[in-house]
Protein backbone atom coordinates (compact mmCIF):
# COMPACT_ATOMS: atom_id res chain seq x y z
CA UNK A 1 0.00 0.00 0.00
CA UNK A 2 1.35 3.43 -0.95
CA UNK A 3 2.22 6.09 1.52
CA UNK A 4 0.30 9.31 2.07
CA UNK A 5 2.19 11.11 -0.70
CA UNK A 6 2.26 8.31 -3.27
CA UNK A 7 -0.08 8.04 -6.29
CA UNK A 8 -3.03 5.65 -5.90
CA UNK A 9 -1.52 3.33 -8.43
CA UNK A 10 1.81 3.33 -6.57
CA UNK A 11 5.17 4.56 -7.77
CA UNK A 12 5.51 4.25 -11.53
CA UNK A 13 8.08 1.83 -12.82
CA UNK A 14 11.49 3.51 -13.24
CA UNK A 15 10.64 6.48 -10.99
CA UNK A 16 12.70 7.44 -7.98
CA UNK A 17 11.77 5.78 -4.76
CA UNK A 18 12.10 6.70 -1.15
CA UNK A 19 10.76 10.27 -1.66
CA UNK A 20 13.82 11.27 -3.73
CA UNK A 21 13.19 13.82 -6.43
CA UNK A 22 15.65 13.96 -9.32
CA UNK A 23 15.01 17.75 -9.52
CA UNK A 24 15.55 18.31 -5.84
CA UNK A 25 18.99 19.93 -6.57
CA UNK A 26 17.35 22.57 -8.77
CA UNK A 27 16.33 25.61 -6.70
CA UNK A 28 13.75 27.84 -8.33
CA UNK A 29 14.51 30.96 -6.30
CA UNK A 30 13.60 34.51 -7.24
CA UNK A 31 16.87 35.20 -9.09
CA UNK A 32 16.37 32.06 -11.17
CA UNK A 33 12.83 33.09 -12.12
CA UNK A 34 13.93 36.65 -13.02
CA UNK A 35 16.71 35.31 -15.21
CA UNK A 36 14.38 33.11 -17.27
CA UNK A 37 14.18 34.10 -20.94
CA UNK A 38 10.54 32.83 -21.26
CA UNK A 39 7.70 34.11 -19.08
CA UNK A 40 4.25 32.52 -18.78
CA UNK A 41 1.27 34.86 -19.39
CA UNK A 42 -1.27 35.08 -16.64
CA UNK A 43 -4.65 33.42 -17.10
CA UNK A 44 -6.30 36.82 -17.52
CA UNK A 45 -3.79 37.79 -20.24
CA UNK A 46 -4.41 34.53 -22.11
CA UNK A 47 -8.22 35.01 -21.99
CA UNK A 48 -8.06 38.66 -23.06
CA UNK A 49 -5.50 38.46 -25.85
CA UNK A 50 -5.74 34.82 -26.91
CA UNK A 51 -1.96 34.96 -26.77
CA UNK A 52 0.37 31.99 -26.54
CA UNK A 53 0.97 30.59 -23.13
CA UNK A 54 4.42 32.15 -22.90
CA UNK A 55 6.22 35.21 -24.15
CA UNK A 56 9.92 35.98 -24.62
CA UNK A 57 11.35 38.48 -22.15
CA UNK A 58 13.80 41.11 -23.35
CA UNK A 59 17.37 40.36 -22.26
CA UNK A 60 18.41 42.08 -19.05
CA UNK A 61 21.29 44.55 -19.24
CA UNK A 62 23.52 43.51 -16.40
CA UNK A 63 26.25 45.90 -15.26
CA UNK A 64 29.34 45.19 -13.22
CA UNK A 65 28.78 44.15 -9.67
CA UNK A 66 29.87 46.42 -6.87
CA UNK A 67 32.84 44.17 -6.06
CA UNK A 68 34.00 44.25 -9.69
CA UNK A 69 33.74 48.03 -9.80
CA UNK A 70 35.82 48.35 -6.63
CA UNK A 71 38.45 45.97 -8.03
CA UNK A 72 38.72 47.93 -11.30
CA UNK A 73 39.01 51.17 -9.35
CA UNK A 74 41.81 49.78 -7.14
CA UNK A 75 43.74 48.55 -10.19
CA UNK A 76 43.42 51.95 -11.85
CA UNK A 77 44.64 53.74 -8.71
CA UNK A 78 47.63 51.36 -8.33
CA UNK A 79 48.57 51.76 -11.99
CA UNK A 80 48.38 55.54 -11.80
CA UNK A 81 50.49 55.59 -8.63
CA UNK A 82 53.16 53.43 -10.28
CA UNK A 83 53.38 55.80 -13.23
CA UNK A 84 53.59 58.85 -10.95
CA UNK A 85 56.35 57.33 -8.82
CA UNK A 86 58.26 56.28 -11.93
CA UNK A 87 58.26 59.86 -13.18
CA UNK A 88 58.54 61.82 -9.94
CA UNK A 89 60.21 59.57 -7.36
CA UNK A 90 63.18 61.18 -5.57
CA UNK A 91 65.66 58.37 -6.35
CA UNK A 92 65.99 58.89 -10.07
CA UNK A 93 69.45 58.34 -11.61
CA UNK A 94 71.02 61.79 -11.85
CA UNK A 95 71.55 63.21 -15.31
CA UNK A 96 75.21 62.85 -16.27
CA UNK A 97 77.04 66.16 -16.37
CA UNK A 98 79.22 66.90 -19.41
CA UNK A 99 82.93 66.44 -18.67
CA UNK A 100 85.14 69.43 -18.08
CA UNK A 101 87.52 70.43 -20.89
CA UNK A 102 91.01 69.09 -20.35
CA UNK A 103 93.36 71.65 -18.76
CA UNK A 104 96.97 70.93 -19.69
CA UNK A 105 100.44 72.25 -18.85
CA UNK A 106 103.59 71.09 -20.65
CA UNK A 107 106.88 72.31 -19.16
CA UNK A 108 110.12 71.71 -21.11
CA UNK A 109 113.25 71.13 -19.03
CA UNK A 110 116.48 72.41 -20.55
CA UNK A 111 119.80 70.68 -19.70
CA UNK A 112 122.51 72.72 -17.98
CA UNK A 113 125.29 70.79 -19.72
CA UNK A 114 125.70 68.66 -22.81
CA UNK A 115 123.31 65.69 -22.89
CA UNK A 116 125.13 62.49 -21.77
CA UNK A 117 125.23 59.63 -24.25
CA UNK A 118 126.34 56.01 -24.56
CA UNK A 119 126.23 53.30 -27.20
CA UNK A 120 124.37 50.90 -24.93
CA UNK A 121 121.04 52.16 -23.48
CA UNK A 122 121.47 49.69 -20.62
CA UNK A 123 124.52 51.62 -19.43
CA UNK A 124 122.55 54.85 -19.41
CA UNK A 125 119.72 53.33 -17.39
CA UNK A 126 122.09 51.68 -14.92
CA UNK A 127 123.75 55.02 -14.13
CA UNK A 128 120.54 57.08 -13.86
CA UNK A 129 117.79 57.52 -11.26
CA UNK A 130 115.76 55.08 -13.39
CA UNK A 131 118.06 52.17 -12.59
CA UNK A 132 115.45 50.50 -10.35
CA UNK A 133 112.43 51.36 -12.45
CA UNK A 134 110.36 48.55 -13.90
CA UNK A 135 110.00 47.98 -17.62
CA UNK A 136 106.89 49.03 -19.55
CA UNK A 137 103.42 48.30 -18.20
CA UNK A 138 104.89 46.45 -15.21
CA UNK A 139 105.84 49.84 -13.81
CA UNK A 140 102.17 50.91 -13.70
CA UNK A 141 100.94 49.00 -10.67
CA UNK A 142 97.40 49.02 -9.34
CA UNK A 143 96.92 49.77 -5.64
CA UNK A 144 94.81 47.54 -3.44
CA UNK A 145 91.28 48.50 -4.39
CA UNK A 146 88.93 49.77 -1.72
CA UNK A 147 85.23 50.38 -2.17
CA UNK A 148 84.01 53.87 -1.44
CA UNK A 149 80.73 55.14 -0.01
CA UNK A 150 79.02 55.09 -3.41
CA UNK A 151 81.20 52.82 -5.58
CA UNK A 152 81.90 49.10 -5.24
CA UNK A 153 85.28 47.34 -5.33
CA UNK A 154 84.68 46.24 -8.90
CA UNK A 155 83.90 49.79 -10.01
CA UNK A 156 87.08 51.12 -8.40
CA UNK A 157 89.10 48.37 -10.09
CA UNK A 158 87.49 49.22 -13.43
CA UNK A 159 88.51 52.88 -13.04
CA UNK A 160 92.10 51.98 -12.12
CA UNK A 161 92.38 49.48 -14.98
CA UNK A 162 91.06 52.02 -17.49
CA UNK A 163 93.66 54.57 -16.34
CA UNK A 164 96.43 51.99 -16.66
CA UNK A 165 95.26 51.19 -20.20
CA UNK A 166 95.30 54.90 -21.02
CA UNK A 167 98.86 55.29 -19.69
CA UNK A 168 100.07 52.26 -21.62
CA UNK A 169 98.53 53.44 -24.88
CA UNK A 170 99.51 57.10 -24.51
CA UNK A 171 103.02 56.66 -23.06
CA UNK A 172 104.35 53.25 -24.14
CA UNK A 173 102.83 52.30 -27.50
CA UNK A 174 105.57 52.75 -30.18
CA UNK A 175 102.96 53.61 -32.81
CA UNK A 176 101.76 56.49 -30.65
CA UNK A 177 105.26 57.61 -29.59
CA UNK A 178 106.85 57.76 -33.04
CA UNK A 179 104.22 56.69 -35.57
CA UNK A 180 101.64 59.41 -35.14
CA UNK A 181 98.82 57.04 -34.15
CA UNK A 182 96.02 58.49 -32.00
CA UNK A 183 93.19 55.95 -32.13
CA UNK A 184 94.51 53.71 -29.29
CA UNK A 185 94.23 56.74 -26.99
CA UNK A 186 91.10 58.27 -28.50
CA UNK A 187 88.89 55.21 -27.95
CA UNK A 188 89.55 55.35 -24.19
CA UNK A 189 88.16 58.87 -23.79
CA UNK A 190 84.62 59.94 -22.91
CA UNK A 191 82.82 60.69 -26.23
CA UNK A 192 82.07 64.24 -25.09
CA UNK A 193 85.82 64.99 -25.01
CA UNK A 194 86.50 63.82 -28.55
CA UNK A 195 85.88 67.21 -30.15
CA UNK A 196 88.57 68.77 -27.97
CA UNK A 197 90.88 65.83 -28.64
CA UNK A 198 90.42 66.03 -32.41
CA UNK A 199 90.87 69.80 -32.47
CA UNK A 200 94.12 69.42 -30.51
CA UNK A 201 95.59 67.36 -33.34
CA UNK A 202 93.96 69.20 -36.24
CA UNK A 203 94.85 72.69 -34.96
CA UNK A 204 97.41 72.51 -32.12
CA UNK A 205 97.45 75.66 -29.99
CA UNK A 206 99.42 76.69 -26.92
CA UNK A 207 96.27 77.75 -25.06
CA UNK A 208 96.32 75.15 -22.29
CA UNK A 209 93.49 73.25 -23.99
CA UNK A 210 94.64 72.00 -27.39
CA UNK A 211 98.19 70.58 -27.20
CA UNK A 212 98.63 66.99 -28.43
CA UNK A 213 101.42 66.54 -25.86
CA UNK A 214 98.84 67.12 -23.14
CA UNK A 215 96.95 64.01 -24.27
CA UNK A 216 99.87 61.69 -25.07
CA UNK A 217 103.64 61.42 -25.52
CA UNK A 218 104.67 62.08 -29.12
CA UNK A 219 108.23 62.56 -30.40
CA UNK A 220 109.43 64.51 -33.40
CA UNK A 221 110.14 62.25 -36.43
CA UNK A 222 113.82 63.22 -36.21
CA UNK A 223 114.29 60.77 -33.29
CA UNK A 224 113.59 57.09 -32.74
CA UNK A 225 113.55 54.70 -29.82
CA UNK A 226 116.99 53.22 -29.11
CA UNK A 227 115.45 50.67 -26.74
CA UNK A 228 111.86 49.44 -26.60
CA UNK A 229 112.21 48.68 -22.87
CA UNK A 230 110.88 51.96 -21.49
CA UNK A 231 111.43 52.45 -17.75
CA UNK A 232 108.41 53.44 -15.65
CA UNK A 233 107.67 54.25 -12.03
CA UNK A 234 104.73 55.96 -10.37
CA UNK A 235 101.49 55.66 -8.45
CA UNK A 236 97.71 55.54 -8.85
CA UNK A 237 95.23 56.86 -6.30
CA UNK A 238 91.44 56.48 -6.46
CA UNK A 239 88.87 58.41 -4.41
CA UNK A 240 85.37 59.82 -4.74
CA UNK A 241 85.13 63.24 -6.33
CA UNK A 242 81.43 63.30 -5.40
CA UNK A 243 78.66 60.74 -4.90
CA UNK A 244 78.35 60.19 -8.65
CA UNK A 245 81.99 60.52 -9.73
CA UNK A 246 85.20 58.61 -9.10
CA UNK A 247 88.55 60.36 -9.50
CA UNK A 248 91.88 58.66 -10.21
CA UNK A 249 95.18 60.57 -10.04
CA UNK A 250 98.09 59.04 -11.94
CA UNK A 251 101.63 60.34 -11.29
CA UNK A 252 104.30 58.50 -13.31
CA UNK A 253 107.78 59.09 -14.65
CA UNK A 254 108.66 57.52 -18.03
CA UNK A 255 112.25 57.27 -19.20
CA UNK A 256 113.00 56.68 -22.90
CA UNK A 257 116.29 55.84 -24.63
CA UNK A 258 116.45 57.84 -27.89
CA UNK A 259 118.81 58.35 -30.81
CA UNK A 260 118.64 60.10 -34.19
CA UNK A 261 116.17 58.57 -36.63
CA UNK A 262 117.86 56.33 -39.19
CA UNK A 263 121.13 56.05 -37.26
CA UNK A 264 123.02 52.77 -36.93
CA UNK A 265 123.50 50.70 -33.80
CA UNK A 266 126.81 52.40 -33.01
CA UNK A 267 125.20 55.82 -32.60
CA UNK A 268 125.09 57.15 -29.07
CA UNK A 269 121.75 57.00 -27.30
CA UNK A 270 120.55 59.39 -24.63
CA UNK A 271 117.78 59.34 -22.03
CA UNK A 272 114.64 61.45 -22.20
CA UNK A 273 112.43 61.79 -19.14
CA UNK A 274 108.71 62.60 -19.06
CA UNK A 275 106.80 63.01 -15.84
CA UNK A 276 103.02 62.93 -16.30
CA UNK A 277 100.50 63.81 -13.61
CA UNK A 278 97.03 63.07 -14.96
CA UNK A 279 93.64 63.48 -13.26
CA UNK A 280 90.81 61.26 -14.51
CA UNK A 281 87.14 61.23 -13.58
CA UNK A 282 84.54 58.53 -14.09
CA UNK A 283 80.77 58.60 -13.91
CA UNK A 284 78.85 55.32 -14.05
CA UNK A 285 78.49 55.46 -17.82
CA UNK A 286 82.26 55.85 -18.16
CA UNK A 287 82.81 52.82 -15.93
CA UNK A 288 80.34 50.76 -17.94
CA UNK A 289 81.92 51.75 -21.26
CA UNK A 290 85.56 51.46 -20.07
CA UNK A 291 86.20 55.12 -20.88
CA UNK A 292 87.66 58.04 -18.93
CA UNK A 293 87.35 61.80 -18.62
CA UNK A 294 90.82 63.35 -18.58
CA UNK A 295 90.48 66.71 -16.82
CA UNK A 296 94.05 67.68 -15.82
CA UNK A 297 97.35 66.94 -17.58
CA UNK A 298 100.56 68.24 -16.04
CA UNK A 299 103.74 67.29 -17.92
CA UNK A 300 107.47 67.93 -17.34
CA UNK A 301 109.79 66.70 -20.09
CA UNK A 302 113.49 66.97 -20.86
CA UNK A 303 116.09 67.46 -22.04
CA UNK A 304 114.37 70.03 -24.27
CA UNK A 305 115.31 73.47 -25.48
CA UNK A 306 113.05 76.15 -24.03
CA UNK A 307 112.93 77.79 -27.42
CA UNK A 308 111.36 74.71 -28.99
CA UNK A 309 107.60 74.53 -29.36
CA UNK A 310 106.46 71.45 -27.41
CA UNK A 311 102.77 71.83 -28.17
CA UNK A 312 102.32 69.37 -31.02
CA UNK A 313 105.32 67.05 -30.39
CA UNK A 314 108.40 66.74 -28.24
CA UNK A 315 111.79 67.54 -29.89
CA UNK A 316 114.36 66.06 -27.51
CA UNK A 317 117.97 67.19 -27.31
CA UNK A 318 120.09 64.13 -28.04
CA UNK A 319 123.52 62.95 -26.92
CA UNK A 320 126.10 65.73 -27.04
CA UNK A 321 123.61 68.55 -27.68
CA UNK A 322 123.27 71.58 -25.42
CA UNK A 323 120.72 74.29 -24.77
CA UNK A 324 120.51 77.46 -22.75
CA UNK A 325 119.00 76.76 -19.38
CA UNK A 326 115.84 78.59 -18.46
CA UNK A 327 113.53 79.02 -15.53
CA UNK A 328 114.27 77.94 -11.97
CA UNK A 329 117.48 75.98 -11.67
CA UNK A 330 117.43 72.32 -10.86
CA UNK A 331 113.87 71.21 -11.79
CA UNK A 332 113.86 67.45 -11.27
CA UNK A 333 111.19 65.37 -13.07
CA UNK A 334 111.94 62.47 -10.71
CA UNK A 335 110.84 64.56 -7.72
CA UNK A 336 107.24 64.97 -6.61
CA UNK A 337 107.23 68.78 -6.49
CA UNK A 338 105.40 70.86 -9.09
CA UNK A 339 107.22 73.34 -11.30
CA UNK A 340 105.38 76.55 -12.06
CA UNK A 341 107.52 78.12 -14.79
CA UNK A 342 106.87 77.80 -18.52
CA UNK A 343 110.35 76.36 -18.85
CA UNK A 344 112.66 74.82 -16.29
CA UNK A 345 116.27 73.68 -16.01
CA UNK A 346 116.82 69.97 -15.95
CA UNK A 347 118.61 69.06 -12.74
CA UNK A 348 122.06 67.54 -13.17
CA UNK A 349 121.04 64.74 -10.79
CA UNK A 350 118.31 63.74 -13.25
CA UNK A 351 120.88 62.94 -15.94
CA UNK A 352 122.81 59.66 -16.20
CA UNK A 353 126.41 59.74 -14.89
CA UNK A 354 128.56 58.49 -17.73
Amino acid sequence: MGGPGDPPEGTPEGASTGGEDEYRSVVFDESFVRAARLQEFSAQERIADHAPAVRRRPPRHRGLSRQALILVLLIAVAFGTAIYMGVRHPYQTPVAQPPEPLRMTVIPLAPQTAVPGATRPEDLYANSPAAQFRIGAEGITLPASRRTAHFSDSQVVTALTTVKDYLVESSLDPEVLTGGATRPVRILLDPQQLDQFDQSFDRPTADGRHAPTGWLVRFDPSVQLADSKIRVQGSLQAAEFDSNTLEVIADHTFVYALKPAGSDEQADASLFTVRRELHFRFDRDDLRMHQAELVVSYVQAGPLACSENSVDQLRPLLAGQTAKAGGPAGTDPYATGSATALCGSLATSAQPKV
Side-chain angles (χ1 to χ4, degrees):
M1 182 176 222
D6 292 333
E9 296 83 1
T11 303
E13 184 178 354
S16 299
T17 59
E20 294 182 354
D21 187 348
E22 62 179 317
Y23 297 105
R24 179 177 298 173
S25 61
V26 180
V27 179
F28 297 97
D29 58 8
E30 183 178 357
S31 62
F32 180 86
V33 173
R34 290 181 177 178
R37 299 295 304 275
L38 298 178
Q39 182 182 29
E40 184 179 7
F41 285 103
S42 65
Q44 185 65 35
E45 289 174 325
R46 291 200 298 271
I47 293 174
D49 296 334
H50 303 285
V54 296
R55 61 183 173 188
R56 184 173 297 275
R57 300 180 64 182
R60 297 182 61 194
H61 179 70
R62 302 186 61 181
L64 294 174
S65 66
R66 178 178 299 177
Q67 292 84 351
L69 286 172
I70 294 175
L71 179 61
V72 170
L73 181 61
L74 289 176
I75 292 174
V77 170
F79 185 71
T81 302
I83 294 177
Y84 176 81
M85 294 299 292
V87 174
R88 299 296 301 276
H89 73 82
Y91 304 105
Q92 295 183 70
T93 302
V95 178
Q97 298 296 322
E100 297 180 11
L102 170 60
R103 294 176 287 111
M104 57 185 70
T105 303
V106 181
I107 301 177
L109 303 178
Q112 302 179 59
T113 60
V115 177
T119 303
R120 288 165 42 90
E122 296 84 355
D123 295 337
L124 292 171
Y125 284 126
N127 292 284
S128 77
Q132 304 302 318
F133 284 14
R134 294 185 179 182
I135 295 174
E138 292 182 358
I140 307 172
T141 57
L142 302 184
S145 63
R146 293 289 185 272
R147 65 174 301 154
T148 66
H150 300 92
F151 292 89
S152 65
D153 280 336
S154 63
Q155 289 175 315
V156 174
V157 170
T158 297
L160 292 169
T161 302
T162 302
V163 169
K164 179 174 181 177
D165 291 344
Y166 187 94
L167 292 173
V168 169
E169 297 299 341
S170 65
S171 309
L172 301 176
D173 185 345
E175 289 300 316
V176 172
L177 297 175
T178 59
T182 60
R183 186 176 183 277
V185 179
R186 190 179 189 274
I187 61 177
L188 293 172
L189 290 169
D190 186 289
Q192 296 187 70
Q193 285 193 305
L194 296 183
D195 286 343
Q196 184 186 5
F197 181 88
D198 293 339
Q199 186 177 343
S200 299
F201 290 88
D202 294 339
R203 297 182 297 279
T205 307
D207 61 355
R209 291 287 188 273
H210 300 96
T213 49
W215 298 96
L216 49 80
V217 178
R218 170 184 276 186
F219 294 117
D220 185 86
S222 63
V223 303
Q224 68 181 43
L225 291 173
D227 185 2
S228 60
K229 298 177 181 179
I230 301 166
R231 296 335 194 243
V232 184
Q233 180 170 286
S235 63
L236 293 173
Q237 296 180 348
E240 282 193 14
F241 180 76
D242 57 39
S243 61
N244 299 306
T245 310
L246 266 178
E247 182 174 58
V248 176
I249 298 177
D251 190 350
H252 291 79
T253 300
F254 301 86
V255 185
Y256 307 85
L258 304 175
K259 63 182 181 179
S263 59
D264 58 30
E265 294 182 357
Q266 300 304 315
D268 279 351
S270 59
L271 297 186
F272 187 81
T273 304
V274 178
R275 179 190 167 196
R276 305 181 75 196
E277 181 180 325
L278 306 178
H279 295 213
F280 299 86
R281 290 178 189 164
F282 299 83
D283 58 27
R284 286 174 173 78
D285 285 339
D286 292 325
L287 294 173
R288 180 173 54 85
M289 299 301 294
H290 193 65
Q291 295 170 332
E293 303 171 12
L294 179 57
V295 295
V296 174
S297 174
Y298 175 82
V299 179
Q300 298 177 40
L304 287 170
C306 290
S307 59
E308 289 289 344
N309 183 0
S310 301
V311 171
D312 57 341
Q313 53 196 2
L314 301 172
R315 299 174 176 84
L317 294 173
L318 301 178
Q321 295 180 335
T322 60
K324 292 182 179 180
T331 301
D332 188 349
Y334 292 89
T336 57
S338 297
T340 57
L342 296 179
C343 185
S345 293
L346 183 62
T348 303
S349 60
Q351 297 275 51
K353 296 177 175 60
V354 295

